[in-house]
Amino acid sequence: MNVLNSIKRPTLLLDRRKCLNNIEKMVKKAADHGLRFRPHFKTHQSVEIGRWFNDLGVRSITVSSLSMAEYFARAGWQDITVAFPVNVREMDAINRLAGRIQLNLLVESSQVTDFLAAKLNSKVNLFIKIDTGLHRTGLEPAATDEVDRILDVVQKSPLLSFSGFLTHSGHTYRAKSVAEIKDIHTDAVRQLSALKEKYRARFPHLIVSIGDTPSCSLVDDFSSVDEIRPGNFVFYDVMQWQLGSCTLDQVAVALACPVVAKHEQRGELVLYGGAIHLSKERLILQDGRICYGVMVELKEDGWEIPSKIQPLTGLSQEHGILNVDKESMQKIAVGDLVGILPVHSCLTAHLMKGYLTFDGQTIDHLNARTNFLQT
Amino acid sequence: MNVLNSIKRPTLLLDRRKCLNNIEKMVKKAADHGLRFRPHFKTHQSVEIGRWFNDLGVRSITVSSLSMAEYFARAGWQDITVAFPVNVREMDAINRLAGRIQLNLLVESSQVTDFLAAKLNSKVNLFIKIDTGLHRTGLEPAATDEVDRILDVVQKSPLLSFSGFLTHSGHTYRAKSVAEIKDIHTDAVRQLSALKEKYRARFPHLIVSIGDTPSCSLVDDFSSVDEIRPGNFVFYDVMQWQLGSCTLDQVAVALACPVVAKHEQRGELVLYGGAIHLSKERLILQDGRICYGVMVELKEDGWEIPSKIQPLTGLSQEHGILNVDKESMQKIAVGDLVGILPVHSCLTAHLMKGYLTFDGQTIDHLNARTNFLQT
């Protein structure tokens, strides 16, 4: 069968083989380094793709919201870390989940820890979020006074148990080279190791958990790290390619977009495929052009990557403007489909709410099921 | 009632009074200038909000996709323009709609017009899309050879009828001043007037249709324009405020976001509210800061706009980083809700898939109902 013939509107294609390769590679890397693998499922948000991890022995996962935790708990996952600071307005959802699964939460203040200790009905594990340089969330490693206050609350609570220190070194996304990514990783590990040393006498089982896809893809020295939580690697994307975390050939999703107009003089194709399909995530290519995605040639069983980067340089709500070379301009007709590798696959998958494989399987995404006021 | 108490997660609040004022003002402006008002519904994508327009006498609308046209046709709208180049892969949907309502389509090539003439089962009206300077889609005004070819196909087809020339002067969004927006508008109208003059002998009923919210908000000279199709004005947003199209007080939607952490030294609040809620649309403030949204203080029956702009300067998948002044930092606690006026309300509404009013009404959005593979 040729699934492309059935496509009328922007559709997110998933290359199952590439995706499975990405998963297998990271499972193996974690095993080779003796690390617990707790993949972040916020990228795919799919019960079916979750099953592919489970088939390879993965039993613990990370998510970025309680809604996502509930979705995967319903699918049978029993050990879930919500890698987002506890939102005290969602105490009901926390208690619902904590009663059913091993729920691991993140705190960065004694105030929220106090709140949890007072409101919990069931046991949860707590990580303290450490800011190793991203400066988004977390305590600075030197803020051990607040760490101590949090740990005092934890030790007094029968329902709280301390798991360890967790970071997301998302500043690797701003790195200009692979060497810089490795330096950021080394620096983060150094900071977390110091904390581990300081607190391991009191909490012998505490672990250190790190998370970002660039580090987990590129680094081979994990020293005192116990757990890794990368997520994006399941699909990768153009941003990861630009960072050096993957090749373009490893990117496992492409948005199929109908061509609706050609502007030969400007070297532009107008695509049905815009901000509500790809997201407005963008990057600047080496040649200075803005890029909202990169063109691939769709085939019956996958896609081919042209030798020259042909970027999506403009994006409105529903339109994309694709910069193509003369050869592509001649070859591609109005009504054809082109593939676009997304700049940020997590956001594209969220917007598209599902996937289509080349053997015609439709694959679920949490966002196809959630209403806007779910509680 | 205080709806804020029921909010646990990012929720899109709609100030009904502001929204109705925006609608009434534009309805009146169109009437005052003798223009047909065909509002673009891609911003709100809501049957309920569509009803508010209908209550004020609006009977013709614009949408940006056939899915959206089907949604509003089901709700009773009988005269719909799809302001997007015809996608030949959706011929089935075009024929389904053309059999039920007055469907108005856009073409910019004789090739696609030929295709329509060959495949249509029912009558449709055709607009020729003219590129008045945005350079996204459309024929250049000088390309009258192609216009003539399109019109020849139209005149030979019993199912095609020529409506006129349509443009979207979206380059007003790049304008640096209100004066520049007015210049762009004047220039667009001049180009379309010339086309109208040239073809009115052959097509006495042809009209000129323009569309962007900045022009429609700011301009008072519409001369040879027959129809306006603004959309964003229904909510406005921070981008329109920056352009000068509206005041911040006219913005009718705000994302309610729980505060999950405070970083006093950096002057930052961490919000539950990220790229999957607001979109990654951004702009640069006059002081050079990146802005993904602007804070407002939520009250029981609406919101107040602080005297100083306090922008969202960082945005991840679920997190937002809000830059606040000392006063806000002292006043706002973890667990509180803050409101964020979006940079681009169309994209935020699409992501949030619905609205909550201050009297507790939940309002629908098309995206809450569509599956990812609907045909």
Side-chain angles (χ1 to χ4, degrees), chain A residues 120-318:
Chain A
L120 275 172
N121 300 331
S122 304
K123 289 191 178 182
V124 304
N125 294 328
L126 275 198
F127 280 97
I128 297 179
K129 178 74 185 280
I130 300 297
D131 178 5
T132 50
L134 173 59
H135 305 320
R136 183 177 68 179
T137 59
L139 289 172
E140 304 216 349
T144 49
D145 286 359
E146 185 68 4
V147 170
D148 289 335
R149 279 190 289 270
I150 292 171
L151 293 176
D152 288 346
V153 180
V154 169
Q155 285 202 310
K156 281 182 199 132
S157 163
L159 297 178
L160 289 174
S161 140
F162 181 53
S163 286
F165 298 104
L166 180 148
T167 199
H168 172 66
S169 301
H171 43 318
T172 52
Y173 284 86
R174 299 178 201 138
K176 299 274 174 274
S177 66
V178 168
E180 197 183 331
I181 290 171
K182 291 183 177 177
D183 286 348
I184 289 170
H185 167 78
T186 305
D187 185 54
V189 171
R190 184 188 49 73
Q191 297 176 63
L192 294 166
S193 298
L195 283 167
K196 190 174 179 179
E197 275 313 305
K198 183 171 166 65
Y199 289 95
R200 81 188 315 173
R202 193 168 156 200
F203 298 94
H205 302 296
L206 79 82
I207 69 163
V208 158
S209 175
I210 67 160
D212 61 300
T213 282
S215 296
C216 293
S217 300
L218 292 168
V219 160
D220 271 309
D221 178 5
F222 292 89
S223 50
S224 63
V225 173
D226 301 290
E227 174 181 278
I228 57 171
R229 312 179 321 279
N232 179 281
F233 75 91
V234 66
F235 298 150
Y236 285 119
D237 52 31
V238 176
M239 195 186 291
Q240 297 290 345
W241 164 74
Q242 197 184 43
L243 287 164
S245 310
C246 67
T247 63
L248 273 189
D249 203 46
Q250 285 175 277
V251 178
V253 287
L255 187 73
C257 300
V259 176
V260 295
K262 290 176 72 165
H263 292 277
E264 293 207 29
Q265 279 183 324
R266 296 201 293 271
E268 289 176 356
L269 300 177
V270 182
L271 307 186
Y272 184 6
I276 62 165
H277 308 104
L278 283 161
S279 94
K280 289 219 70 164
E281 193 83 70
R282 64 183 202 174
L283 47 79
I284 310 293
L285 294 174
Q286 271 196 321
D287 62 15
R289 282 183 293 181
I290 285 179
C291 171
Y292 293 98
V294 164
M295 190 191 78
V296 294
E297 291 171 30
L298 297 177
K299 308 286 174 185
E300 194 176 337
D301 56 353
W303 54 78
E304 276 174 21
I305 297 161
S307 55
K308 230 166 77 185
I309 294 293
Q310 295 175 82
L312 208 56
T313 53
L315 209 62
S316 322
Q317 185 162 339
E318 315 257 359

Side-chain angles (χ1 to χ4, degrees), chain B residues 92-363:
Chain B
D92 292 348
I94 290 172
N95 271 322
R96 273 200 306 274
L97 272 164
R100 283 177 63 187
I101 63 163
Q102 182 182 314
L103 183 65
N104 315 300
L105 299 176
L106 259 61
V107 290
E108 61 170 275
S109 76
S110 52
Q111 185 204 353
V112 171
T113 316
D114 272 330
F115 182 91
L116 280 175
K119 303 281 184 180
L120 275 172
N121 298 331
S122 304
K123 288 190 179 184
V124 304
N125 294 329
L126 275 198
F127 280 97
I128 296 178
K129 178 73 185 282
I130 301 297
D131 177 7
T132 49
L134 173 59
H135 305 321
R136 183 178 67 179
T137 59
L139 288 172
E140 304 216 350
T144 50
D145 286 358
E146 186 68 4
V147 170
D148 289 335
R149 278 190 290 270
I150 292 171
L151 293 176
D152 288 345
V153 179
V154 169
Q155 285 202 310
K156 280 183 198 131
S157 162
L159 298 178
L160 289 174
S161 141
F162 181 54
S163 287
F165 298 104
L166 180 150
T167 199
H168 172 67
S169 301
H171 44 317
T172 52
Y173 285 86
R174 298 177 203 138
K176 299 275 172 274
S177 68
V178 168
E180 196 183 331
I181 290 171
K182 291 183 177 177
D183 286 348
I184 288 169
H185 168 77
T186 305
D187 186 54
V189 172
R190 184 188 51 72
Q191 297 176 62
L192 294 166
S193 299
L195 283 168
K196 189 175 179 178
E197 275 313 304
K198 183 172 165 66
Y199 289 96
R200 81 190 313 175
R202 193 168 155 199
F203 298 94
H205 302 296
L206 79 82
I207 69 162
V208 158
S209 174
I210 67 160
D212 61 300
T213 281
S215 295
C216 294
S217 300
L218 293 168
V219 161
D220 271 309
D221 178 6
F222 292 90
S223 52
S224 63
V225 173
D226 302 288
E227 174 182 277
I228 57 170
R229 311 180 321 278
N232 180 281
F233 74 92
V234 67
F235 298 149
Y236 285 120
D237 52 32
V238 176
M239 196 186 291
Q240 297 290 345
W241 164 74
Q242 197 184 42
L243 287 164
S245 312
C246 67
T247 62
L248 272 189
D249 203 46
Q250 286 175 275
V251 178
V253 286
L255 187 74
C257 299
V259 176
V260 295
K262 289 176 72 165
H263 292 276
E264 294 206 28
Q265 281 184 322
R266 296 201 292 269
E268 290 177 354
L269 300 176
V270 182
L271 307 185
Y272 183 7
I276 62 165
H277 308 103
L278 284 161
S279 94
K280 289 220 70 164
E281 194 83 69
R282 65 183 202 174
L283 46 80
I284 309 294
L285 295 173
Q286 271 196 322
D287 62 14
R289 281 184 293 181
I290 285 179
C291 170
Y292 294 99
V294 164
M295 190 191 77
V296 293
E297 291 172 30
L298 297 177
K299 308 284 173 187
E300 195 176 333
D301 56 354
W303 54 79
E304 276 173 22
I305 297 162
S307 56
K308 230 166 80 184
I309 295 293
Q310 296 174 82
L312 208 57
T313 53
L315 209 62
S316 323
Q317 184 162 341
E318 316 257 359
H319 304 75
I321 303 297
L322 186 66
N323 248 257
V324 293
D325 59 23
K326 278 186 186 157
E327 196 194 326
S328 298
M329 181 61 79
Q330 281 193 325
K331 211 160 55 177
I332 301 170
V334 166
D336 286 355
L337 291 177
V338 298
I340 300 292
L341 304 182
V343 169
H344 190 167
S345 58
C346 313
L347 298 186
T348 303
H350 186 88
L351 282 160
M352 293 309 298
K353 304 195 277 189
Y355 314 86
L356 182 64
T357 65
F358 284 86
D359 48 8
Q361 188 189 355
T362 59
I363 290 184

Side-chain angles (χ1 to χ4, degrees), chain A residues 7 9 89-90 136 316 335, chain B residues 7 9 89-90 136 316:
Chain A
I7 294 177
R9 296 174 188 171
R89 300 180 81 94
E90 291 185 288
R136 183 177 68 179
S316 322
Chain B
I7 294 178
R9 297 174 187 173
R89 300 179 82 94
E90 291 185 288
R136 183 178 67 179
S316 323

